[in-house]
C-alpha cells in the first residue's frame, strides 16, 4: 500500500452496497449543507435586523402573526425535508439488502483478540479453506460473510465495500459484501476490543473469479515443503520452539489452535493483522518481540540466535 | 418600605399539610417513580433473555416452589390493613393509634422479611447457574432491598413516635411512610407473577 | 406590628438563614446557593481534568505511530475522559445551575429537600475522587465510557478497572436522582404566589423536564452497571453468552439510559439559550407554549431512540427502521425551538454582549451537529460511520455546541449574580473566539477522518493511511481551546486587577433572581416577590404584592398549589446539618467496599442506616422554635380547601 492509495475509505466505494451508501451520503450531505446555510442566513439576518431596530421595546418590528406564520412554515419545511431524507434512507436500505444471492461464496469470519480467523465454507469438508487476516473476494457477485466472535465484541468493516457488522459472541450474524472493482482494500476492527483494537486490521483482495478460484485452490494445498537446508532448519525450529503450540502449518507437525493458521502465510501482504508488510525484516522483528509492536497481544517474545531467526524467517517466506 | 407596597400575608396558613399538598409526598412519589422504573426494567430484562431461550427455565431447573412466595404475597397484602389504619391515624393526628398500628405493621414486616428468607431457599436455582438464575435472584433481591429498608425506616419512625419529640408534621411522615409501604406491596405483585408464574405459564 | 418596618425582624431573618462559617460551614451547610456554587466549581474542575486528558489524547494522535503512550495508558485516558465529561461534568454542571437558580427564579427561599441536595453533592464529589484516585493507582477503567461486556467482564478485564466504572455510575446516578427529585418538588410546590404554570420561566421548565428524564433514565444504567458488577463479583450470568446470558442486554439497558442522557445534557442547554436570547433581544421568548411543548415532546421521544446506537449489531431490519424514523423525527421539536429563537431575535433589539456571542456560536455548532445526527440516524449510512471519528465529531458538535457553549454564555450571564462582580467583556470575546475557532479546527476534520476510515478508540494508526495531517490539525485546535480556557480561568478566578461591581440587575433581565442582591442574601429575598406575569421584572406593576408573614425566628418556606401557585401552607425547613456528609461517607464506604466483597453490602449498610437515622431524627422543639403539636389536627387533608385570606 503506497501513501495516497484510498484503500480504507467510505468515499471510494468499490462495490454495490458501498456505492448505494455513498449515494445516500451525497444526498444527505448536500441537503444538510443547504439547510445549514439557510438557517445561518436567517440568524445573520435576524442579528442585523434587530441590531438596527427602533429603541422602543414595546412595539415589536414584526407582528406576532407574521412570526407565527414564519415559524409554522419553517416547521412544515423541516417535516418535508426530514420525510424526504427518511425516504432516501429506506430506499438505500432496500438497495443494500438486495445484494444477496441463493448460492454464493460463503465465508465464515471469527473475531479473536486481535486477529481474524477466516474460513471459506464448502459442502465438501476437504475443500474448506482456513486462513487468517486476508480475505479474497471474486468480483461482481454477492459474498456471504458470516461473522461471530470467540471472545469480546469486534466489528468487521471494509469501508470501500460495505458497512460494518459487529461480531458478538454467541450471536452469529451475516452481512453481504460485493466488490465491482478489482483492487486491494483494507478492513479494520471497528468495535473497541481491548489493548490492540487499534492494530486489528485485515486485507481484502477483490479479483476476477478465475484468479479467486486459483487462490482458493492454492490455499487448499498443504504447506510447501522446505527445499534447502536453511528452510528445513526453519521448519524444525518452528516445530520445536513454541510456535507449534499456537499455530498450525498443515502438512507438518505443527497444529496449534490458538493463533492464526500459517500454512500459507508467505502469500499474505501483511502480518500481525495488517500491522506490518510481510517482509523478512518485519517477520524477524515480529517473531523476536511481538510485544514491542502490539503490546498486550497474546504472542510472547521468541529470542533466537541470528542464524536461527534467518532460517525461520526464510522458511515462513516460502509458505505461499 | 413605603406604605404603597401591597402585601400578601401568609401567617394564618397552617404549618403543614397532608397528601399531595405536602413536600414529603413529592419526595416519596419521586422514589416510587425511580424504583418502579427499576423494577419494570428488571422485568423487561427477564422477558428479553427468556424470549431468546425456547426452554425456560433452561433444562433441569424447576420453577421456584409456590408455597412461600404465595404465603408471603398474602402476608404482604394483609399488611395493607394495619398500614391503612396507621395512615388514617396519622391524618387524624391520633398518637396512640399511630403507635399501635405502626407496631402491628412492624410485626407484619418481621414476618414477611423472615418468609422472604425462606423464599430464597426454595427458588430451586442458584444465581450463578445461568442467566435464568441470575434474573430470578435479581428480581427477588431488588424487592428484598425494599422490604428491608421499608422495615428499617418504619422502625425508626415508630421509635420516634414513642420516644419523641413528636411535632405535628411528623404525622405527615406517618402518612408518607404508609404510601411507600403501599408501593412496596403493590410492586411485589408483578414481580411475584414473573418469578413464580411466568416459568409455569410459558 | 408591621413586620415590614421591623429592623429586629430583618436581622432575625438574616440570622435564621445564615449558614455557619469555617469548617462547620464546609461540613454542614445546606444552603442551595452554597451547594450550587460547589457543584459548579467541582464540575468545572472535572471539566478541566477531562480537558487535560483530551489534550493528552490529541498529543498522542497528532502523529502516526506516536510512541508517547502505550495502549494500556491510552485506553485508561480516553475512558476516563469520556466518563468525566459525561458523569462528572455535563450532568452535574447543569444540575448545579438548577440548584442555584431554580429556587431564585420561582421566588422561593430555599430548594426543596436541602439536606438531600447537600448529600448529593458529597456523593458526586466522592465519586469523582474515587475515579481519579483509581487513575493514580493505575486502576482507571479502560473499557470505554460505555464499558461493553464481554470486554468488561472479569475474564477479559480481570483487574478492578471495570468495577470502578460501575461504581462511578452508582455514585453519580444517586447524586443526580436526588437532585432531580428536589428540583421537581421545588418547581411544582415552592413557586411564589402568582407564578402559575403558564408563567414559569423556560429555564425552570427545562430543569423540570430534565429531572423527569433523570428519574426514568438513570435506573436503567444503575441496573446495567449493577448486573455487570454482579457478573464480575458473584458470577451471575447476565451478559456472558456461554452461560445463556446476552451481551446485547447490556447494550439495550445502557442505551435506554444513554440516549436520554444526552438530552439530559442538551435540554438544560436549550433553557440557557432561551434565557439569554430573551434577555439580549430585550423581548419575551416568542412561542412560549411551542417551546415548552417542544421540550416535553423531545423528552418523550428521547426515550424511543436508543437502538440507533446498535444498528451495527445485526438487529432485525423492521425494528431498526422504526428507530431511524424516530431519530430523524426528533429533529422536529428541536427545530421548532430553533425557529422560535430566531423569531425572538428577529423581532427584538439585539444586545451583542458575551452571553449572546456564545449563543450565536451555539447555533452554528449545534445545527451542524444536529444535521450529522440525522445522517447517522439513517441505517445504511450508520453502518459505515458508526464507531468512527465521524461519530466523535458528531457528538462533540452537539454536546459542546448544544451544552458547553450555552453554558459559557450562562457563566457570563450569571457570574455577576453569583459573585457580585462582572466578568470582562473583552476577555470574554477572546475566550469565545479562541473556543469557536479551536473547536472547529479540532472537530471538523474528524468528520473527514471517519469518512476516510479511521475508527474510534485507537491509540495509534499507520502513516500509510494518510490520517496524519488532519489529526495534526485537530491537535492544533485543542491548543487554541486550551488558551481560551486559560483566559477564562484568569478572569473567573478573580486575577484581574480591576473588576466592576455587578449590582442587582446588570443585564436588566426579567426573572426573579435579578430582584435581589448580587450575591443573594441568605434566605434569598427579604420579602419574597409575587408574580404578575411571565417576565416579572419587565411587566409587573410597581405595587405587585410581596409576601409577608413567614416566620423569622426559624426557617420557613411558603408552599403553594401545583397549577396556580395559590398559597397553601407554611413549611418548616431544616437547619444546617452534618448528617448529609456523614451519610455520604457511609454510602461511599459501602460502594467502594462492594467492589471487593459482596459482604460489604451487608456490613456497609449498617453505618448507612445509622447516619440516615441521625439525619431523620428531630432536634428538641424548644431548640427550633416551633410550637408543640396541638391535641387535634390543624393540618389540612389533601382535599380540604385552603384556609381563607390573602389572594392576589
Amino acid at each position: 500500500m503506497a501513501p495516497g492509495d484510498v484503500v480504507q475509505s467510505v468515499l471510494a466505494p468499490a462495490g454495490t452496497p458501498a456505492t448505494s451508501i455513498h449515494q445516500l451520503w451525497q444526498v444527505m450531505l448536500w441537503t444538510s449543507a443547504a439547510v445549514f446555510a439557510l438557517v445561518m442566513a436567517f440568524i445573520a439576518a435576524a442579528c442585523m435586523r434587530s441590531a438596527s431596530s427602533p429603541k422602543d421595546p414595546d412595539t415589536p418590528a414584526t407582528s406576532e402573526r407574521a412570526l407565527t406564520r414564519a415559524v409554522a412554515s419553517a416547521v412544515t419545511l423541516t417535516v418535508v425535508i426530514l420525510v424526504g431524507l427518511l425516504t432516501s434512507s429506506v430506499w438505500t436500505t432496500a438497495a443494500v439488502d438486495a445484494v444477496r444471492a441463493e448460492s454464493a461464496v460463503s465465508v465464515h469470519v471469527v473475531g479473536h483478540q486481535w486477529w481474524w480467523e477466516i474460513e471459506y465454507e464448502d459442502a465438501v469438508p476437504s475443500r474448506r479453506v482456513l486462513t487468517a487476516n486476508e480475505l479474497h473476494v471474486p468480483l461482481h457477485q454477492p459474498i456471504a460473510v458470516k461473522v461471530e466472535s470467540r471472545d469480546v465484541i469486534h466489528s468487521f468493516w471494509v469501508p470501500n465495500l460495505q458497512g460494518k457488522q459487529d461480531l458478538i459472541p454467541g450471536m452469529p450474524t451475516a452481512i453481504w459484501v460485493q466488490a465491482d472493482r478489482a483492487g486491494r482494500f483494507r478492513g479494520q476492527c471497528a468495535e473497541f476490543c481491548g489493548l490492540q483494537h487499534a492494530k486489528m486490521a485485515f486485507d481484502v483482495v477483490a479479483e476476477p473469479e478465475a484468479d479467486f478460484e486459483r487462490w482458493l485452490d492454492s490455499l487448499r494445498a498443504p504447506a510447501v515443503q522446505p527445499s534447502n537446508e536453511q528452510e528445513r532448519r526453519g521448519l524444525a525450529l518452528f516445530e520445536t520452539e513454541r510456535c507449534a503450540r499456537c499455530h498450525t502449518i498443515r502438512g507438518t507437525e505443527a497444529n496449534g489452535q490458538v493463533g492464526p493458521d500459517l500454512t500459507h502465510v508467505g502469500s499474505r501482504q501483511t502480518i500481525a493483522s495488517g500491522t506490518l508488510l510481510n517482509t523478512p525484516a518485519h517477520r524477524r522483528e515480529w517473531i523476536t518481540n511481538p510485544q514491542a509492536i502490539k503490546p498486550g497481544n497474546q504472542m510472547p517474545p521468541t529470542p533466537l540466535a541470528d542464524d536461527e531467526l534467518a532460517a525461520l524467517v526464510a522458511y515462513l517466506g516460502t509458505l505461499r | 418600605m413605603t406604605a404603597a407596597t401591597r402585601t400578601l400575608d401568609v401567617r394564618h396558613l397552617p404549618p403543614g399539610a397532608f397528601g399531595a399538598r405536602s413536600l414529603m409526598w413529592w419526595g416519596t412519589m419521586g422514589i416510587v417513580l425511580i424504583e418502579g422504573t427499576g423494577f419494570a426494567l428488571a422485568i423487561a430484562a427477564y422477558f428479553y433473555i427468556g424470549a431468546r431461550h425456547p426452554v425456560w427455565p433452561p433444562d433441569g431447573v424447576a420453577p421456584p416452589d409456590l408455597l412461600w412466595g404465595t404465603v408471603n404475597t398474602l402476608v404482604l397484602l394483609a399488611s395493607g390493613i394495619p398500614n391503612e389504619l396507621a395512615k388514617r391515624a396519622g391524618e387524624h393526628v391520633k398518637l396512640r393509634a399511630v403507635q399501635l398500628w405502626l407496631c402491628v405493621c412492624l410485626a407484619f414486616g418481621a414476618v414477611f422479611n423472615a418468609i422472604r428468607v425462606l423464599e430464597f431457599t426454595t427458588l430451586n436455582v442458584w444465581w450463578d447457574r445461568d442467566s435464568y438464575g441470575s434474573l430470578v435472584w435479581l428480581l427477588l433481591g431488588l424487592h428484598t432491598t425494599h422490604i428491608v429498608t421499608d422495615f428499617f425506616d418504619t422502625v425508626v419512625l415508630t421509635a420516634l413516635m414513642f420516644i419523641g419529640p413528636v411535632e405535628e408534621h411528623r404525622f405527615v411522615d406517618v402518612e408518607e411512610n404508609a404510601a411507600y409501604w403501599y408501593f412496596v406491596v403493590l410492586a411485589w405483585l408483578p414481580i411475584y407473577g414473573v418469578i413464580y408464574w411466568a416459568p409455569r405459564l410459558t | 406590628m408591621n413586620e415590614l418596618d421591623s429592623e429586629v425582624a430583618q436581622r432575625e431573618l438574616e440570622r435564621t438563614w445564615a449558614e455557619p462559617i469555617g469548617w462547620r460551614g464546609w461540613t454542614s451547610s445546606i444552603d442551595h446557593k452554597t451547594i450550587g456554587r460547589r457543584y459548579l466549581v467541582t464540575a468545572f474542575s472535572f471539566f478541566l481534568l477531562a480537558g487535560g486528558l483530551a489534550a493528552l489524547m490529541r498529543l498522542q494522535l497528532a502523529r502516526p505511530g506516536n510512541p508517547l503512550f502505550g495502549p494500556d495508558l491510552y485506553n485508561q485516558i480516553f475512558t476516563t475522559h469520556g466518563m468525566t465529561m459525561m458523569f462528572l461534568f455535563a450532568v452535574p454542571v447543569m444540575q448545579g445551575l438548577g440548584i442555584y437558580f431554580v429556587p431564585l427564579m420561582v421566588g422561593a427561599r430555599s430548594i426543596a429537600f436541602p439536606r438531600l441536595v447537600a448529600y448529593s453533592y458529597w456523593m458526586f464529589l466522592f465519586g469523582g475522587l474515587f475515579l481519579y484516585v483509581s487513575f493514580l493507582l493505575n486502576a482507571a477503567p479502560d473499557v470505554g465510557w460505555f464499558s461493553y461486556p464481554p470486554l468488561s467482564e472479569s475474564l477479559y478485564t480481570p483487574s478492578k478497572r471495570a468495577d470502578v466504572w460501575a461504581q462511578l455510575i452508582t455514585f453519580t446516578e444517586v447524586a443526580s436522582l436526588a437532585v432531580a427529585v428536589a428540583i421537581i418538588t421545588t418547581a411544582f410546590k415552592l413557586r411564589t404566589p402568582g407564578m402559575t404554570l403558564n408563567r414559569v420561566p423556560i429555564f425552570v421548565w427545562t430543569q423540570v423536564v430534565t429531572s423527569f428524564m433523570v428519574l426514568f433514565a438513570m435506573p436503567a444504567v444503575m441496573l446495567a452497571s449493577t448486573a455487570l458488577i454482579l457478573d464480575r463479583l458473584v458470577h451471575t450470568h447476565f451478559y456472558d453468552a456461554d452461560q445463556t446470558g446476552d451481551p446485547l442486554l447490556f447494550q439495550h439497558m445502557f442505551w435506554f439510559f444513554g440516549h436520554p442522557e444526552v438530552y439530559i445534557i442538551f435540554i438544560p442547554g436549550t433553557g440557557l439559550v432561551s434565557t439569554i436570547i430573551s434577555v439580549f433581544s430585550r423581548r419575551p421568548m416568542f412561542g412560549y407554549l411551542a417551546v415548552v411543548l417542544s421540550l416535553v415532546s423531545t423528552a418523550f421521544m428521547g426515550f424511543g431512540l436508543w437502538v440507533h446506537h446498535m444498528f451495527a449489531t445485526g438487529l432485525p431490519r423492521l425494528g431498526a427502521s422504526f428507530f431511524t424514523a424516530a431519530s430523524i423525527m426528533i429533529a422536529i421539536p428541536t427545530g421548532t425551538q430553533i425557529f422560535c429563537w430566531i423569531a425572538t431575535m428577529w423581532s427584538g433589539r439585539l444586545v451583542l454582549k458575551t452571553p449572546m456571542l456564545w449563543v450565536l456560536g451555539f447555533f452554528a455548532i449545534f445545527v451542524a451537529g444536529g444535521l450529522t445526527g440525522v445522517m447517522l440516524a439513517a441505517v445504511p449510512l450508520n453502518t459505515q460511520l458508526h464507531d468512527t471519528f465521524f461519530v466523535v465529531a458528531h457528538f462533540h458538535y452537539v454536546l459542546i455546541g448544544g451544552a458547553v457553549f450555552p453554558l459559557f454564555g450562562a457563566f457570563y450571564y450569571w457570574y455577576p449574580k453569583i459573585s457580585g462582580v462582572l466578568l470582562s467583556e473583552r476577555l470574554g470575546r477572546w475566550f469565545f473566539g479562541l473556543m469557536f475557532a479551536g473547536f472547529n479546527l479540532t472537530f471538523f476534520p474528524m468528520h473527514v477522518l471517519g469518512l476516510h476510515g479511521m475508527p474510534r478508540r485507537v491509540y495509534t494508526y499507520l502513516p500509510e493511511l494518510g490520517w496524519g495531517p488532519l489529526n495534526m490539525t485537530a491537535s492544533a485546535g485543542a491548543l487554541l481551546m486550551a488558551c481560551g480556557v486559560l483566559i477564562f480561568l484568569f478572569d473567573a478566578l478573580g486575577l484581574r486587577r480591576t473588576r466592576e461591581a455587578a449590582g442587582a440587575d446588570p443585564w436588566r433581565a426579567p426573572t426573579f433572581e435579578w430582584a435581589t442582591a448580587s450575591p443573594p442574601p441568605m434566605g434569598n429575598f427579604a420579602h419574597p416577590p409575587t408574580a404578575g406575569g411571565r417576565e416579572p421584572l419587565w411587566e409587573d406593576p410597581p405595587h405587585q404584592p410581596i409576601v409577608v408573614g413567614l416566620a423569622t425566628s426559624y426557617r420557613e418556606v411558603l408552599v403553594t398549589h401545583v397549577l396556580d401557585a395559590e398559597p397553601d401552607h407554611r413549611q418548616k425547613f431544616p437547619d444546617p446539618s452534618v448528617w448529609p456528609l456523614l451519610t455520604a461517607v457511609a454510602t461511599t464506604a459501602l460502594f467502594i467496599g462492594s467492589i471487593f466483597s459482596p459482604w460489604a453490602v451487608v456490613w456497609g449498610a449498617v453505618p448507612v442506616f445509622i447516619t440516615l437515622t441521625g439525619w431523620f431524627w428531630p432536634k428538641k422543639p424548644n431548640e427550633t422554635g416551633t410550637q408543640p403539636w396541638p391535641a387535634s389536627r390543624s393540618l389540612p387533608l389533601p382535599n380540604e380547601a385552603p384556609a381563607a385570606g390573602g389572594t392576589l
Side-chain angles (χ1 to χ4, degrees):
Chain A
M1 180 172 51
D5 281 353
V6 184
V7 297
Q8 187 172 330
S9 172
V10 179
L11 300 177
T16 314
T19 305
S20 300
I21 296 172
H22 188 256
Q23 284 163 357
L24 179 63
W25 161 248
Q26 301 280 25
V27 167
M28 295 198 121
L29 175 67
W30 293 113
T31 309
S32 300
V35 168
F36 184 78
L38 199 60
V39 174
M40 293 303 117
F42 271 102
I43 291 171
C47 286
M48 291 191 304
R49 187 193 165 82
S50 75
S52 61
S53 68
K55 289 298 177 193
D56 183 358
D58 286 319
T59 56
T62 315
S63 75
E64 300 288 294
R65 254 190 44 219
L67 289 173
T68 308
R69 274 202 302 266
V71 169
S73 310
V75 173
T76 309
L77 183 61
T78 304
V79 174
V80 168
I81 293 175
L82 291 177
V83 170
L85 292 177
L86 182 60
T87 309
S88 310
S89 173
V90 171
W91 190 91
T92 307
T93 306
V96 170
D97 283 352
V99 176
R100 59 182 58 232
E102 276 300 312
S103 57
V105 172
S106 173
V107 177
H108 194 219
V109 173
V110 179
H112 297 261
Q113 282 176 317
W114 291 276
W115 60 280
W116 304 88
E117 177 187 328
I118 294 170
E119 186 183 26
Y120 285 82
E121 297 184 337
D122 199 298
V124 180
S126 61
R127 290 175 58 78
R128 291 183 192 146
V129 171
L130 182 64
T131 180
N133 297 331
E134 186 169 294
L135 187 72
H136 286 231
V137 295
L139 291 174
H140 308 304
Q141 47 184 285
I143 313 295
V145 180
K146 300 179 183 171
V147 297
E148 198 187 344
S149 169
R150 279 288 169 266
D151 41 41
V152 301
I153 300 179
H154 302 274
S155 195
F156 175 90
W157 186 41
V158 191
N160 290 75
L161 297 182
Q162 171 61 294
K164 62 184 62 72
Q165 181 89 324
D166 286 353
L167 278 55
I168 300 172
M171 198 177 123
T173 56
I175 187 172
W176 290 91
V177 171
Q178 176 169 328
D180 293 302
R181 171 163 62 86
R184 287 186 159 271
F185 305 105
R186 194 170 183 271
Q188 193 167 342
C189 176
E191 181 64 59
F192 180 66
C193 52
L195 282 167
Q196 285 304 324
H197 165 64
K199 295 186 179 176
M200 185 175 160
F202 57 101
D203 296 307
V204 179
V205 177
E207 54 195 357
E209 180 156 16
D211 295 336
F212 169 74
E213 291 296 343
R214 240 194 320 276
W215 175 79
L216 216 52
D217 266 335
S218 72
L219 257 57
R220 285 190 183 108
V224 169
Q225 295 292 333
S227 63
N228 60 37
E229 188 53 43
Q230 191 194 40
E231 291 166 15
R232 268 189 289 277
R233 191 151 173 245
L235 170 56
L237 279 166
F238 191 94
E239 287 169 338
T240 56
E241 290 287 328
R242 290 176 291 179
C243 319
R245 276 198 237 148
C246 295
H247 295 284
T248 294
I249 298 181
R250 266 182 299 117
T252 71
E253 304 276 310
N255 65 350
Q257 304 293 318
V258 179
D261 184 295
L262 297 180
T263 310
H264 297 280
V265 64
S267 69
R268 295 185 204 150
Q269 175 171 300
T270 59
I271 55 168
S273 304
T275 307
L276 297 165
L277 282 178
N278 192 0
T279 63
H282 283 154
R283 289 197 290 272
R284 208 167 17 245
E285 218 185 304
W286 175 250
I287 293 170
T288 310
N289 192 2
Q291 295 299 317
I293 296 163
K294 283 177 77 165
N297 92 89
Q298 303 196 30
M299 181 162 155
T302 307
L304 291 172
D306 277 346
D307 58 320
E308 293 178 313
L309 201 50
L312 187 52
V313 161
Y315 168 65
L316 292 171
T318 69
L319 297 178
R320 298 195 184 284
Chain B
M1 289 290 155
T2 67
T5 310
R6 282 176 52 199
T7 60
L8 175 63
D9 197 335
V10 296
R11 79 186 73 225
H12 58 278
L13 290 177
F18 285 100
R21 297 160 74 160
S22 80
L23 298 183
M24 260 330 271
W25 181 93
W26 287 76
T28 308
M29 286 307 121
I31 295 179
V32 165
L33 284 179
I34 293 166
E35 302 303 319
T37 304
F39 284 138
L41 289 168
I43 291 175
Y46 179 97
F47 286 113
Y48 174 85
I49 299 271
R52 298 171 63 78
H53 299 282
V55 178
W56 187 260
D59 291 72
V61 178
D65 289 351
L66 280 176
L67 174 66
W68 292 118
T70 310
V71 166
N72 222 2
T73 305
L74 297 171
V75 174
L76 279 163
L77 286 171
S79 76
I81 299 171
N83 189 47
E84 178 66 21
L85 292 168
K87 175 171 177 280
R88 290 188 191 178
E91 286 165 0
H92 288 94
V93 191
K94 300 214 176 317
L95 180 60
R96 283 270 164 258
V98 163
Q99 289 170 336
L100 167 67
W101 292 115
L102 280 181
C103 287
V104 176
C105 284
L106 284 179
F108 272 86
V111 169
F112 61 59
N113 272 288
I115 298 180
R116 177 54 54 86
V117 174
L118 294 172
E119 282 188 78
F120 272 108
T121 63
T122 55
L123 282 178
N124 297 325
V125 69
W126 288 112
W127 67 83
D128 58 356
R129 185 185 191 276
D130 55 21
S131 60
Y132 163 77
S134 304
L135 285 160
V136 167
W137 277 75
L138 179 72
L139 282 168
L140 197 58
L142 279 176
H143 189 261
T144 306
T145 320
H146 285 265
I147 59 176
V148 167
T149 49
D150 199 7
F151 180 75
F152 168 75
D153 71 50
T154 309
V155 164
V156 174
L157 184 63
T158 310
L160 177 61
M161 298 313 272
F162 277 102
I163 300 172
V166 178
E167 298 166 285
E168 186 169 6
H169 67 87
R170 286 297 158 199
F171 291 90
V172 179
D173 291 340
V174 171
E175 185 202 34
E176 292 316 314
N177 188 63
Y180 180 59
W181 188 288
Y182 273 133
F183 164 70
V184 171
V185 170
L186 291 172
W188 169 245
L189 298 177
I191 297 173
Y192 166 72
V194 170
I195 293 176
Y196 290 95
W197 288 101
R200 293 183 157 84
L201 299 176
T202 51
Chain C
M1 174 180 77
N2 184 349
E3 70 167 66
L4 290 179
D5 301 329
S6 169
E7 289 271 322
V8 173
Q10 288 292 358
R11 278 206 301 277
E12 195 174 44
L13 182 74
E14 281 163 23
R15 240 194 340 265
T16 298
W17 284 94
E19 291 282 310
I21 53 169
W23 70 266
R24 272 187 61 226
W26 272 101
T27 56
S28 65
S29 174
I30 60 167
D31 171 51
H32 76 97
K33 300 182 293 300
T34 305
I35 307 290
R37 269 199 318 275
R38 284 183 195 168
Y39 255 96
L40 294 173
V41 170
T42 306
F44 193 68
S45 305
F46 283 123
F47 175 76
L48 294 175
L49 283 171
L53 292 171
L56 295 179
M57 288 159 69
R58 285 319 319 165
L59 269 175
Q60 167 72 3
L61 291 180
R63 290 181 311 141
N66 202 343
L68 189 60
F69 298 117
D72 189 58
L73 183 55
Y74 186 84
N75 294 347
Q76 290 182 74
I77 289 173
F78 82 70
T79 301
T80 306
H81 165 79
M83 291 172 72
T84 306
M85 285 299 192
M86 295 300 282
F87 297 119
L88 297 172
F89 164 65
V91 173
V93 82
M94 294 302 184
Q95 290 195 311
L97 286 176
I99 292 167
Y100 195 104
F101 286 104
V102 167
L104 285 166
M105 278 189 168
V106 301
R109 283 240 167 93
S110 169
I111 199 169
F113 311 126
R115 290 174 299 181
L116 184 65
V117 175
Y119 169 77
S120 81
Y121 170 73
W122 295 117
M123 291 302 288
F124 158 51
L125 175 68
F126 294 156
L129 289 175
F130 168 60
L131 176 65
Y132 278 86
V133 167
S134 304
F135 192 89
L136 293 173
L137 297 176
N138 194 35
D142 60 350
V143 285
W145 85 276
F146 39 86
S147 184
Y148 282 172
L151 181 63
S152 53
E153 297 263 32
S154 39
L155 180 57
Y156 301 103
T157 303
S159 68
K160 287 290 169 213
R161 292 171 174 183
D163 301 303
V164 173
W165 177 86
Q167 287 306 59
L168 181 79
I169 304 272
T170 316
F171 275 105
T172 52
E173 307 319 325
V174 165
S176 295
L177 286 165
V179 174
V181 173
I183 287 187
I184 289 172
T185 309
T186 307
F188 280 123
K189 295 297 294 176
L190 299 185
R191 298 196 317 278
T192 197
M195 188 177 280
T196 59
L197 282 184
N198 193 33
R199 294 174 176 170
V200 168
I202 291 180
F203 172 74
V204 176
W205 274 118
T206 60
Q207 289 282 329
V208 169
V209 167
T210 301
S211 298
F212 273 107
M213 295 186 77
V214 166
L215 293 189
F216 290 115
M218 295 208 170
V221 74
M222 287 277 259
L223 210 55
S225 61
T226 301
L228 181 67
I229 276 212
L230 289 173
D231 266 13
R232 292 172 56 84
L233 198 61
V234 296
H235 314 297
T236 50
H237 299 290
F238 294 104
Y239 305 129
D240 65 54
D242 292 336
Q243 291 288 345
T244 73
D246 185 358
L248 284 188
L249 174 64
F250 180 90
Q251 293 192 27
H252 281 295
M253 278 208 291
F254 183 85
W255 290 114
F256 185 80
F257 149 81
H259 195 80
E261 161 84 340
V262 308
Y263 287 101
I264 287 168
I265 296 170
F266 170 61
I267 285 181
T270 69
L272 303 176
V273 170
S274 290
T275 304
I276 292 172
I277 286 184
S278 174
V279 171
F280 292 86
S281 302
R282 318 293 313 146
R283 66 147 286 168
M285 178 59 51
F286 173 83
Y288 175 91
L289 184 63
V291 169
V292 174
L293 290 177
S294 296
L295 292 171
V296 174
S297 57
T298 304
F300 270 105
M301 290 173 79
F303 278 91
L305 310 188
W306 83 90
V307 176
H308 72 218
H309 299 271
M310 299 166 65
F311 280 156
T313 57
L315 296 173
R317 275 282 180 262
L318 190 60
S321 298
F322 164 79
F323 286 96
T324 294
S327 303
I328 288 182
M329 291 307 154
I330 201 168
I332 297 170
T334 308
T336 306
Q337 284 199 72
I338 293 178
F339 304 139
C340 288
W341 288 327
I342 297 177
T344 307
M345 289 162 59
W346 186 279
S347 58
R349 270 186 315 119
L350 191 71
V351 178
L352 200 58
K353 298 249 167 164
T354 305
M356 195 61 192
L357 275 183
W358 287 102
V359 165
L360 294 178
F362 149 82
F363 274 122
I365 296 175
F366 176 74
V367 171
L371 291 167
T372 57
V374 172
M375 294 176 186
L376 287 165
V379 172
L381 203 45
N382 185 283
T383 60
Q384 283 282 35
L385 300 174
H386 168 69
D387 255 327
T388 68
F389 264 83
F390 190 94
V391 177
V392 177
H394 160 71
F395 65 69
H396 283 93
Y397 266 80
V398 284
L399 287 175
I400 296 186
V404 176
F405 268 63
L407 185 68
F408 283 125
F411 276 166
Y412 276 83
Y413 177 64
W414 272 325
Y415 185 94
K417 175 55 58 180
I418 299 176
S419 69
V421 293
L422 290 164
L423 289 170
S424 155
E425 276 294 307
R426 216 180 103 247
L427 290 180
R429 282 194 290 268
W430 271 100
F431 177 31
F432 168 76
L434 284 167
M435 281 297 282
F436 188 82
F439 171 83
N440 282 294
L441 203 60
T442 298
F443 291 102
F444 194 84
M446 292 185 186
H447 294 107
V448 183
L449 283 169
L451 287 161
H452 283 180
M454 185 171 177
R456 286 172 77 167
R457 304 169 152 183
V458 291
Y459 74 100
T460 191
Y461 52 92
L462 293 177
E464 299 92 314
L465 291 163
W467 299 336
L470 286 177
N471 269 295
M472 180 60 83
T473 310
S475 299
L479 190 59
L480 287 181
M481 286 196 280
C483 291
V485 173
L486 285 174
I487 291 178
F488 173 71
L489 279 176
F490 173 75
D491 198 358
L493 291 175
L495 300 173
R496 268 191 303 140
R497 253 171 299 136
T498 53
R499 309 180 88 201
E500 206 185 314
D505 190 7
W507 310 114
R508 288 183 293 136
T511 42
F512 279 137
E513 76 271 29
W514 304 104
T516 186
S518 301
M522 291 301 176
N524 292 347
F525 304 97
H527 297 286
T530 59
R534 218 177 264 162
E535 273 80 22
L537 270 57
W538 281 353
E539 60 188 82
D540 283 357
H543 54 272
Q544 183 71 20
I546 52 175
V547 175
V548 299
L550 289 173
T552 52
S553 60
Y554 57 91
R555 297 183 176 204
E556 193 166 70
V557 176
L558 179 64
V559 180
T560 58
H561 284 280
V562 173
L563 294 178
D564 55 12
E566 284 289 319
D568 183 32
H569 66 273
R570 299 171 287 121
Q571 179 69 44
K572 176 177 170 303
F573 263 52
D575 290 324
S577 162
V578 75
W579 289 109
L581 171 57
L582 295 176
T583 309
V585 170
T587 318
T588 299
L590 191 160
F591 286 170
I592 296 183
S594 62
I595 72 175
F596 294 101
S597 160
W599 286 110
V601 177
V602 176
W603 299 124
V606 174
V608 173
F609 283 151
I610 293 173
T611 50
L612 283 174
T613 305
W615 178 332
F616 171 77
W617 205 267
K619 297 195 190 111
K620 300 254 175 295
N622 55 5
E623 286 175 0
T624 59
T626 49
Q627 303 129 347
W629 61 277
S632 64
R633 178 176 58 83
S634 67
L635 305 188
L637 288 173
N639 294 321
E640 280 180 353
T647 55
L648 288 170

